[in-house]
């Protein structure tokens, strides 16, 4: 039995076991998905380990492992590890510390189940709720498509005889089965198992790649002698790499962006209690250090391999690095990325389906809907969302100008640019106005629509130095969308106080409620 056959057999066995476990948990979790609250939020009873791993596995997927780690490891070398650390301390630690508790308290107080639902209740505007749901549904599609793309590329490496489109369709069907049966609780339980696989898998892969290049010291020494596009030796082992400004923009987008992504913030809605938030903060941060830090560190050694990036694209870097490893490690990698991606896919499709149903269809429907009808519509839109994303993923494979990182950047930038500032200020400031939220929505999606047109070659801004810098790529425009929103919202709110909600004092009263606790929970003064 040759190496290729061995890889296929091992990978096939592990994948079958993985899928069986995943579907089994989905079927077993049906009892938690009998109503809207259970299907979307797990009845707000999810503990710290499940919540933390759900957050982490939704954060890191094939987009990170195949797309970002490959592209930015190639561009920055070992300095790309800073991206992973930024994800851990800004995207996880600070996100949980600043958003976790206040999100859980206010969303329960306002009875909101999704981010668009929060905007509608917090700012007393059905229009904002509907608009936010439309933005979520539209811009989560390219994100999901990029996940199918990255995951399917690794499948093609392990099973070269299987066409790319078949891989995408198989993943689409499995995602649908997984989410439709079990809802949020099934994804949370599976996320925990998948997270364990990711933790051990990334350590094994890094050790194998380094061993394949003579160990850490030898690999680093060889990398230090590489000049590459930077034009000077040591660029790819330098502390901040060959392009520190670009590195900073990547860190900000991939780290701060989680604060405004509906599928990420939604994890705080479902967490069980105060103690779970404290523990979840630490668990989530540790998980991100290992997984994100490990992925980008691994990608930093990409230039040790003979890869023609112009011909193959950045998405081929990580698969090429792994192709020389033993069949066992390749099988582990496939299951590792499958674990990461399936958890993120399930989170995205659940967020999209619930949002478009609860925050778009229901508000626009004049007749009151039953719980059963809402659940049916939600499941239908989950199928629609998965189908559209799969079609885009198949079509994108022939368009080399829109590689994985760019597709995710447009989606991530639009969602975070539109939602981050209104959500953050909505939790903390009573003076945030409806007008400010509208402007933030328009600003965030406006920048990314322009960026998408530029990426597709429909618009040329090369004549303007300012626009060329802002729209250098989707990462730059995404950062400007987020940071711009953080400035725009308080300024517009200051000028439009008349559009503030009338019942804002009641909304913020939830933070002042007095709770009696046992002496074991609080020793007092």
């Amino acid at each position: 039995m040759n190496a290729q056959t061995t890889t296929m057999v091992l990978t096939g066995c592990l994948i079958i076991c993985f899928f069986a476990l995943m579907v089994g948990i989905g079927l077993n979790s049906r009892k938690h998905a009998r109503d809207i609250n259970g299907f979307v939020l797990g009845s707000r009873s999810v503990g710290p380990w499940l919540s933390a791993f759900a957050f982490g596995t939704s954060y890191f997927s094939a987009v990170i492992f195949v797309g970002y780690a490959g592209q930015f490891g190639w561009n920055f070398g070992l300095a790309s590890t800073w991206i992973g650390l930024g994800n851990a301390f800004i995207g996880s630690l600070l996100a949980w510390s600043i958003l976790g508790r206040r999100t859980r308290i206010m969303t329960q107080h306002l009875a909101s189940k999704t981010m668009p639902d929060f905007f509608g209740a917090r700012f007393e505007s059905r229009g904002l709720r509907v608009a936010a749901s439309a933005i979520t549904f539209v811009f989560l599609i390219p994100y999901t498509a990029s996940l199918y793309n990255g995951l399917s590329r690794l499948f093609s490496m392990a099973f070269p005889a299987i066409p790319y489109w078949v891989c995408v369709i198989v993943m689409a069907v499995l995602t649908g089965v997984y989410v439709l049966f079990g809802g949020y609780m099934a994804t949370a339980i599976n996320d925990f198992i998948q997270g364990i696989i990711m933790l051990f898998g990334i350590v094994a892969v890094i050790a194998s790649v380094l061993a394949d290049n003579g160990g850490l010291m030898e690999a680093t020494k060889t990398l230090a002698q590489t000049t590459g596009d930077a034009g000077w030796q040591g660029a790819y082992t330098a502390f901040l790499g060959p392009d520190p400004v670009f590195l900073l923009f990547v860190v900000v987008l991939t780290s701060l962006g989680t604060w405004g992504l509906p599928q990420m913030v939604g994890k705080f809605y479902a967490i069980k209690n105060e103690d779970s938030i404290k523990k979840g903060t630490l668990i989530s941060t540790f998980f991100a250090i290992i997984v994100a830090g490990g992925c980008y560190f691994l990608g930093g050694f990409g230039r040790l391999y003979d890869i023609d990036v112009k011909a193959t694209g950045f998405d081929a870097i990580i698969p090429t690095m792994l192709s020389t490893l033993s069949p066992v490690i390749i099988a582990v990698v496939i299951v590792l990325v499958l674990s990461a991606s399936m958890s993120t896919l399930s989170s995205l499709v659940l967020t999209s389906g619930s949002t478009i149903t609860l925050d778009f269809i229901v508000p626009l429907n004049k007749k009151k809907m039953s719980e059963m009808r809402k659940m049916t519509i939600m499941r239908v839109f989950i199928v629609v969302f998965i189908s559209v994303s799969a079609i885009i993923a198949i079509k994108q494979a022939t368009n080399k100008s829109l590689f994985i990182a760019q597709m995710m950047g447009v989606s991530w930038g639009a969602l975070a640019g539109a939602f981050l500032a209104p959500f953050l200020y909505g939790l903390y400031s009573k003076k945030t106005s409806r007008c400010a939220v509208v402007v933030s929505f328009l600003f965030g999606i406006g920048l990314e629509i322009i960026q998408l047109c530029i990426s597709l070659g429909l618009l040329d801004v090369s004549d303007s130095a300012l626009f060329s810098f802002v729209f250098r790529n989707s990462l730059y425009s995404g950062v400007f969308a987020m940071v711009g929103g953080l400035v725009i919202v308080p300024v517009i709110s200051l000028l439009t106080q008349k559009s503030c909600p009338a019942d804002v004092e009641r909304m913020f009263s939830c933070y002042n409620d007095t709770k009696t606790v046992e002496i074991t929970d609080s020793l007092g003064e």
Side-chain angles (χ1 to χ4, degrees):
M1 185 181 293
N2 58 35
Q4 184 65 53
T5 304
T6 304
T7 299
M8 292 177 62
V9 172
L10 285 174
T11 304
C13 292
L14 289 177
I15 288 175
I16 291 172
C17 293
F18 177 83
F19 285 155
L21 178 63
M22 181 181 66
V23 173
I25 291 175
L27 293 173
N28 189 56
S29 300
R30 284 180 296 174
K31 60 180 178 292
H32 297 288
R34 293 173 179 169
D35 56 24
I36 295 294
N37 192 48
F39 189 85
V40 178
L41 296 177
S43 302
R44 296 186 191 266
S45 60
V46 185
W49 285 93
L50 294 185
S51 294
F53 274 65
F55 186 91
T57 54
S58 296
Y59 195 167
F60 311 116
S61 62
V63 173
I64 299 294
F65 190 78
V66 179
Y68 274 21
Q71 178 185 351
F72 300 129
W74 186 269
N75 288 334
F76 307 126
L78 295 185
S80 63
T81 308
W82 286 112
I83 305 172
L85 296 178
N87 293 171
F89 295 107
I90 300 175
S92 296
L93 179 63
L94 281 183
W96 276 75
S97 301
I98 294 175
L99 299 179
R101 185 176 184 275
R102 293 183 80 91
T103 297
R104 176 64 173 81
I105 293 173
M106 183 172 278
T107 56
Q108 183 173 23
H109 182 64
L110 299 178
S112 62
K113 297 179 178 65
T114 64
M115 183 178 276
D117 193 9
F118 169 81
F119 286 131
R122 169 65 179 82
F123 298 103
E124 297 178 343
S125 171
R126 189 176 72 169
L128 285 178
R129 181 182 179 185
V130 171
S133 68
I135 293 170
T136 300
F137 187 81
V138 170
F139 283 97
L140 280 184
I141 288 175
Y143 190 175
T144 308
S146 66
L147 287 173
Y148 285 125
N149 193 335
L151 187 57
S152 298
R153 284 179 183 272
L154 284 179
F155 265 73
S156 297
M157 179 186 73
F159 304 101
I162 300 178
Y164 172 81
W165 64 268
V166 172
C167 295
V168 174
I169 291 175
V170 169
M171 294 311 305
V173 172
L174 287 170
T175 302
V177 172
Y178 178 18
V179 177
L180 292 173
F181 277 112
Y184 185 85
M185 188 57 75
T187 67
I189 296 172
N190 267 318
D191 287 348
F192 178 75
I193 296 172
Q194 292 158 357
I196 296 295
I197 295 172
M198 290 168 65
L199 285 173
F200 285 99
I202 192 64
V203 173
V205 171
I206 292 173
S208 299
V209 169
L210 291 177
D212 194 44
N213 287 278
L216 175 61
M217 297 304 295
E218 186 62 31
T220 304
K221 181 180 177 180
T222 304
L223 186 63
Q225 296 171 350
T226 304
T227 57
D229 302 325
W232 50 282
Q233 277 195 358
Y236 301 107
T237 54
F239 188 67
L240 295 177
D243 194 346
V245 175
F246 189 15
L247 178 62
L248 175 63
F249 273 81
V250 176
V251 171
V252 172
L253 178 71
T254 60
S255 302
L256 192 61
T258 59
W259 298 30
L261 297 180
Q263 75 274 16
M264 301 299 298
V265 174
K267 302 299 185 289
F268 300 136
Y269 286 47
I271 199 164
K272 187 175 182 180
N273 52 32
E274 185 94 20
D275 184 60
S276 295
I277 293 174
K278 293 177 181 177
K279 291 178 180 177
T281 302
L282 298 177
I283 298 168
S284 178
T285 303
F286 172 78
F287 182 88
I289 291 173
I290 301 298
V291 175
C295 283
Y296 286 109
F297 177 74
L298 173 67
F301 291 100
R303 287 185 179 270
L304 297 181
Y305 296 80
D306 184 18
I307 304 172
D308 185 357
V309 172
K310 293 182 180 179
T312 62
F314 290 112
D315 303 339
I317 295 173
I318 296 297
T320 300
M321 294 174 66
L322 302 176
S323 62
T324 61
L325 302 182
S326 69
V328 174
I329 295 299
I330 292 177
V332 169
V333 169
I334 300 297
V335 177
L336 181 159
V337 179
L338 180 64
S339 298
S341 297
M342 289 303 294
S343 59
T344 306
L345 284 169
S346 61
S347 177
L348 291 173
V349 299
L350 182 60
T351 297
S352 180
S354 60
T355 292
I356 201 69
T357 302
L358 301 178
D359 305 313
F360 192 88
I361 302 298
V362 172
L364 295 181
N365 196 298
K366 296 180 180 180
K367 295 182 180 180
K368 186 176 181 180
M369 290 187 186
S370 65
E371 286 274 300
M372 184 63 67
R373 182 168 174 77
K374 291 178 184 177
M375 294 280 286
T376 301
I377 294 174
M378 193 182 304
R379 287 188 164 105
V380 169
F381 272 102
I382 285 174
V383 173
V384 170
F385 180 84
I386 292 172
S387 302
V388 173
S389 301
I391 292 171
I392 292 177
I394 293 171
K395 293 292 184 182
Q396 189 271 336
T398 61
N399 186 352
K400 296 300 182 182
S401 65
L402 280 179
F403 40 84
I404 293 178
Q406 288 284 35
M407 286 188 70
M408 180 181 171
V410 170
S411 173
W412 196 306
L415 292 168
F419 296 155
L420 190 157
F423 187 78
L424 178 62
Y425 288 118
L427 290 176
Y428 279 88
S429 174
K430 298 177 183 179
K431 296 182 178 181
T432 306
S433 69
R434 281 189 291 268
C435 272
V437 178
V438 171
V439 173
S440 180
F441 283 7
L442 294 175
F443 181 73
I445 63 174
L447 282 184
E448 290 311 305
I449 288 175
I450 294 173
Q451 180 66 65
L452 185 60
C453 291
I454 294 171
S455 298
L456 293 172
L458 302 176
L459 188 63
D460 184 11
V461 296
S462 58
D463 293 337
S464 170
L466 176 61
F467 283 110
S468 294
F469 181 73
V470 173
F471 297 106
R472 175 178 172 180
N473 54 46
S474 59
L475 303 167
Y476 274 66
S477 58
V479 170
F480 280 108
M482 289 189 298
V483 176
L486 291 173
V487 176
I488 287 172
V489 169
V491 172
I492 299 297
S493 294
L494 186 64
L495 301 174
T496 58
Q497 282 297 291
K498 290 184 179 180
S499 68
C500 285
D503 202 18
V504 70
E505 292 297 334
R506 179 192 65 80
M507 297 176 192
F508 276 77
S509 65
C510 60
Y511 296 134
N512 299 320
D513 287 348
T514 300
K515 300 292 183 182
T516 303
V517 298
E518 299 292 334
I519 191 67
T520 53
D521 297 323
S522 177
L523 296 177
E525 294 182 2

